[in-house]
């Protein structure tokens, strides 16, 4: 048995002659590289054949296709909306649309709505939220003014913007948090408008 020097009780790495290392490397390259190259070529040809099957014409390569615009809603949630004229609370199902509908928020009287169905009911209205911001109403003020401590104010960002301010309320903290997130997602993705104040 070959003995090795130790340092601190730990065996040192044995010395291997350079000639042995070169022979080992040569054997690996001679055996491994041809196999790897062949298998890579086989896999590449197989992938190209699959992609060819996906093509409908010479210009329709899969990696050049533009991904489809999302049409499925981001989500929907039940809550109540304060009327603009009568100022009474009405139950509404808020449906948060996706990019194909410019991230608008539609609200329905129906508690469950499949907006992708051609027979879907007509919404009672919609919110186009570019230039808005969503803020939680402080619990004390919310209970006094909104009748619920789980309330949101969705208002124009600029004070000079005279568009409608939306007041909405929910039954639970969980619903409020979910609605707040989706409102902010819709606002964030909507194209930013110019300040309507001419000054």
């Amino acid at each position: 048995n070959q003995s090795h020097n130790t340092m601190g009780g730990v065996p040192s790495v044995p010395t291997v002659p350079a000639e042995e290392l070169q022979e080992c490397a040569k054997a690996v390259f001679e055996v491994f590289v041809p196999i790897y190259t062949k298998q890579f070529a086989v896999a590449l040809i197989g992938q190209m054949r699959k992609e060819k099957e996906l093509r409908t014409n010479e210009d329709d390569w899969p990696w050049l296709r533009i991904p489809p615009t999302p049409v499925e809603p981001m989500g929907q949630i039940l809550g109540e909306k304060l009327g603009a004229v009568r100022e009474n609370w009405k139950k509404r199902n808020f449906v948060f649309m996706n990019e194909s509908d410019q991230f608008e928020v539609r609200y329905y009287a129906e508690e469950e709505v499949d907006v992708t169905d051609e027979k879907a009911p007509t919404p009672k209205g919609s919110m186009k939220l570019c230039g808005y911001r969503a803020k939680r109403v402080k619990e004390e003020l919310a209970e006094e003014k909104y009748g619920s401590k789980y309330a949101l104010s969705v208002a124009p960002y600029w004070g000079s913007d005279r568009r409608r301010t939306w007041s909405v309320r929910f039954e639970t903290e969980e619903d409020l948090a979910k609605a707040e997130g989706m409102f902010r997602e819709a606002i964030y993705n909507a194209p930013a408008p110019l300040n309507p104040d001419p000054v």
Side-chain angles (χ1 to χ4, degrees), residues 10 64 150 161 176:
V10 179
L64 294 179
Y150 308 117
D161 191 339
L176 174 62

Side-chain angles (χ1 to χ4, degrees), residues 65-79:
R65 291 177 186 162
I66 299 174
T69 302
V71 295
E72 292 288 335
M74 294 189 295
Q76 52 185 288
I77 189 168
L78 293 174

